[in-house]
Amino acid sequence: MSNKNLLSFLIIIAVFFAILSIPAMALSEDFSVEAQKQQISACSCGLTADSYTIRNTGSVASTFQIFKSGDAAQYSTISESFFVLEPGASKDVINYINLPCDAIGEFNEIINVTTTFGLSKAFEQKINANKCTNFDITPVNGLQSACPCSPVQYEISIKNTGSYDEIFNINVSKYPEYAALSESSILLRPNENKNIIVYYNLPCEISGEKDLSVEISAEKSQYLAKVPLKLNIKDCYDYSLTSNSQFTVCEGESASSLITLENKADFFNTFELRTSENFAEIENNSMALAPNQSGATNLVVDCSGLDAGNYSFDILSQSERGQSQKDVSAGLTVEKCRDFFFEVFEPEGRKIASKDYDYQILIQNKGTKAGNFKVQVDGPEWMKLDKNITAINAGEEGKVILKASIPEDFSGKAYARVTVTEDWLADSKRISLSADSLEDAYLVDMKAAGKSVRYDFSDININLENKGFETAKYELSLEAPEWMSLSQNEITLAPGENITIARSIVAKEIGEGNVTIMLGDREIHFFHYTFE
């Protein structure tokens, strides 16, 4: 190469290096870091994203590299840690913070951004780790109403609101033995939701408002949610209780009436029956009825221990299923239906053998109902009733005749007992009868004045006196010679009364003889006569 050419090459090289040396002295490298938050709230067991912007504020293109440090750095992931930016260009870098489930409290992370030529800038962020729920649970139908023995179902919506997959376990905590689940465990991805069904079929005897509960637990976050559910089991065990509510019964008697139960429900049920008072008893106090079936039993009201008056009592029932109670208020009137009084009226005066006497048995019905009264007499066979039964209306009187036909040969005292009964009610009275003999009743005294007669004609006066106690009619006759006669053959004398009669005599023979005066077939006077 010639000297000229060599000189030209050196000038070109010098110019080139001169040109190259101009940017090195005139251009510079710079950048800025713009962080959104200095304090970051993050959920443990969850993913939190934070971003910051790196901007090339220099005049040359720069290569950037990001480094992290601090106790949160191990849980941090940078979306892009190495990149090149032209002057004026910027880049958003995302920092993903994925804290473990047991991370609670404050952590720090230092972000250091460095260029290839050694320019470096750093900033620090505080990370507050909290335990956060990662689900949203919503009962779709948390309140249900149903009849006993009827199945019900609840629908519960579960949504994963966290940033990671979660397994949710479902458990029934109230009445689990009567519950079933459509699923007992589900896996949900972030923002995924699913509905589960809870089936309940409580026993028939459970009724009223019931609090139910379902527990949902998240495996990773260890959170537990209790979902309250309400079930109103309505009184669907409807039934009716009917009975006579007013009783009128005679004292000492009993009455019965039907109690009717009707099961109006669609379920089999058993009913218990009772009364509030001992005088009212139910023959069958337990009754099992199928749906829409009716049944009856007897209610017996016993008044044997009750006095006349007004009483009240309740007829009570309770269903086994549903424990539903019903009652009928009843009244009882006890009447003195069987009540009487009787007297025996004795005929006046002294009683005489061979005569008939009527004793009046007067019965007064003091009860509230008509009755048939039975009369009995226990005494001598010559005492007889004209009837044994007499019907008497309430408040009225009846009469029965006791006839005493006293034998001719009886004298002294006789006793009898008269008994009157109406149903179970009875009363008796003792009566006595005193009778005199005929001789005592009609005792007559006779005396003849003078017992000597003349041959031609004469009267003999005879004095008669009734010394008995009864007015008597005396029929007299003679047992004497035919030429003798009485002036009167019939005489009526009251007690204590006397009379003188003449016996006419026309003598047809001479001598003496006997005269007998007869009272009926009885000899009442005898004397001996002579002629003067």
Side-chain angles (χ1 to χ4, degrees):
M1 177 181 300
S2 65
N3 290 334
K4 183 179 180 180
N5 290 337
L6 179 60
L7 182 59
S8 297
F9 176 74
L10 290 173
I11 292 172
I12 293 171
I13 291 298
V15 171
F16 174 75
F17 279 106
I19 294 171
L20 289 177
S21 62
I22 292 172
M25 293 181 293
L27 301 176
S28 63
E29 187 178 55
D30 198 5
F31 65 93
S32 64
V33 179
E34 300 171 4
Q36 289 186 353
K37 299 177 182 177
Q38 299 299 315
Q39 296 280 342
I40 299 174
S41 293
C43 293
S44 56
C45 204
L47 183 65
T48 302
D50 182 53
S51 64
Y52 41 88
T53 303
I54 299 174
R55 188 181 305 278
N56 186 352
T57 59
S59 56
V60 294
S62 296
T63 301
F64 297 89
Q65 190 170 6
I66 302 173
F67 300 94
K68 51 191 176 66
S69 61
D71 51 9
Q74 57 184 324
Y75 312 126
S76 174
T77 301
I78 303 297
S79 61
E80 196 173 352
S81 61
F82 188 83
F83 51 88
V84 176
L85 290 178
E86 293 294 329
S90 64
K91 190 171 191 65
D92 292 330
V93 178
I94 301 175
N95 185 10
Y96 296 99
I97 303 169
N98 193 1
L99 296 172
C101 295
D102 58 353
I104 301 294
E106 187 177 271
F107 298 84
N108 74 311
E109 184 179 31
I110 300 171
I111 302 297
N112 191 302
V113 183
T114 304
T115 67
T116 305
F117 293 104
L119 182 61
S120 178
K121 293 185 179 182
F123 65 93
E124 182 178 3
Q125 288 182 312
K126 299 293 183 182
I127 301 168
N128 295 315
N130 300 294
K131 204 164 185 64
C132 305
T133 57
N134 61 333
F135 52 77
D136 182 20
I137 297 173
T138 305
V140 178
N141 51 348
L143 176 61
Q144 294 273 47
S145 294
C147 290
C149 302
S150 300
V152 294
Q153 67 180 44
Y154 295 88
E155 189 173 358
I156 301 174
S157 175
I158 305 173
K159 181 179 181 180
N160 183 358
T161 59
S163 56
Y164 51 91
D165 294 349
E166 181 65 281
I167 295 175
F168 297 93
N169 296 310
I170 302 97
N171 178 54
V172 176
S173 56
K174 292 292 288 290
Y175 298 109
E177 64 272 31
Y178 307 119
L181 294 167
S182 59
E183 293 177 83
S184 60
S185 182
I186 57 173
L187 170 64
L188 295 180
R189 301 192 180 280
N191 292 318
E192 184 182 5
N193 70 288
K194 190 170 188 178
N195 290 358
I196 60 134
I197 307 297
V198 184
Y199 302 94
Y200 270 103
N201 193 2
L202 296 179
C204 298
E205 59 269 17
I206 296 178
S207 62
E209 292 189 356
K210 298 299 173 184
D211 292 323
L212 310 176
S213 180
V214 174
E215 295 180 350
I216 301 174
S217 61
E219 283 191 2
K220 289 184 180 179
S221 66
Q222 298 295 302
Y223 265 93
L224 175 67
K226 292 185 178 182
V227 183
L229 304 172
K230 293 230 177 240
L231 175 59
N232 181 20
I233 303 177
K234 298 181 291 186
D235 183 13
C236 298
Y237 292 116
D238 190 23
Y239 69 96
S240 65
L241 169 68
T242 56
S243 174
N244 181 16
S245 60
Q246 188 61 48
F247 297 83
T248 301
V249 187
C250 293
E251 191 178 39
E253 297 183 359
S254 62
S256 63
S257 177
L258 283 179
I259 297 175
T260 303
L261 280 169
E262 182 183 0
N263 182 9
K264 297 181 178 181
D266 296 327
F267 313 97
F268 181 92
N269 211 340
T270 299
F271 304 89
E272 298 296 326
L273 294 163
R274 65 182 179 89
T275 66
S276 60
E277 299 295 337
N278 292 332
F279 59 76
E281 293 187 357
I282 298 172
E283 289 183 352
N284 179 18
N285 58 9
S286 181
M287 195 180 302
L289 296 176
N292 301 309
Q293 183 185 13
S294 295
T297 185
N298 270 331
L299 168 68
V300 179
V301 179
D302 182 9
C303 300
S304 58
L306 300 178
D307 295 328
N310 296 316
Y311 302 84
S312 62
F313 65 98
D314 294 322
I315 304 166
L316 307 165
S317 66
Q318 179 170 307
S319 63
E320 183 179 285
R321 291 178 173 176
Q323 303 296 304
S324 178
Q325 296 182 349
K326 293 186 181 296
D327 64 87
V328 174
S329 296
L332 169 64
T333 299
V334 181
E335 293 185 345
K336 209 170 188 66
C337 302
R338 306 287 182 257
D339 191 23
F340 67 88
F341 174 78
F342 84 96
E343 288 184 287
V344 180
F345 293 94
E346 183 181 356
E348 295 181 353
R350 295 173 69 174
K351 314 300 182 294
I352 304 170
S354 79
K355 291 206 170 196
D356 294 337
Y357 296 93
D358 289 344
Y359 285 75
Q360 290 190 21
I361 303 172
L362 191 64
I363 305 169
Q364 182 181 6
N365 184 356
K366 300 177 71 176
T368 59
K369 294 187 181 297
N372 292 319
F373 295 84
K374 183 179 180 181
V375 184
Q376 293 175 299
V377 62
D378 183 14
E381 61 180 8
W382 40 268
M383 285 186 171
K384 296 186 181 300
L385 298 166
D386 68 338
K387 54 187 174 184
N388 296 103
I389 297 177
T390 181
I392 306 173
N393 291 326
E396 296 183 1
E397 293 182 348
K399 184 170 65 175
V400 175
I401 300 299
L402 172 62
K403 185 175 286 296
S405 300
I406 306 173
E408 186 176 343
D409 59 353
F410 178 83
S411 63
K413 256 189 179 181
Y415 297 93
R417 180 166 291 278
V418 177
T419 301
V420 179
T421 59
E422 186 199 10
D423 289 344
W424 51 268
L425 193 62
D427 192 13
S428 64
K429 295 184 186 298
R430 186 172 181 263
I431 63 171
S432 63
L433 180 148
S434 296
D436 294 290
S437 64
L438 285 170
E439 289 81 359
D440 292 338
Y442 305 114
L443 181 63
V444 63
D445 183 51
M446 178 181 291
K447 293 180 181 178
K451 300 178 183 178
S452 297
V453 297
R454 295 189 305 273
Y455 177 76
D456 53 351
F457 181 83
S458 65
D459 288 335
I460 298 176
N461 291 326
I462 299 171
N463 185 54
L464 280 82
E465 182 180 359
N466 183 354
K467 289 198 171 184
F469 56 85
E470 190 76 13
T471 298
K473 182 179 181 181
Y474 300 99
E475 294 181 357
L476 304 175
S477 63
L478 283 175
E479 289 185 1
E482 59 181 7
W483 43 266
M484 291 187 178
S485 63
L486 294 170
S487 62
Q488 289 179 262
N489 291 99
E490 288 187 359
I491 300 169
T492 300
L493 294 177
E497 187 179 3
N498 57 52
I499 190 171
T500 299
I501 63 173
R503 185 175 67 241
S504 299
I505 299 173
V506 179
K508 293 185 178 181
E509 57 186 57
I510 300 173
E512 57 184 291
N514 294 322
V515 176
T516 301
I517 300 176
M518 303 294 293
L519 177 62
D521 58 357
R522 262 184 327 119
E523 177 185 313
I524 63 170
H525 192 65
F526 172 85
F527 65 91
H528 183 77
Y529 68 90
T530 59
F531 286 98
E532 294 180 349

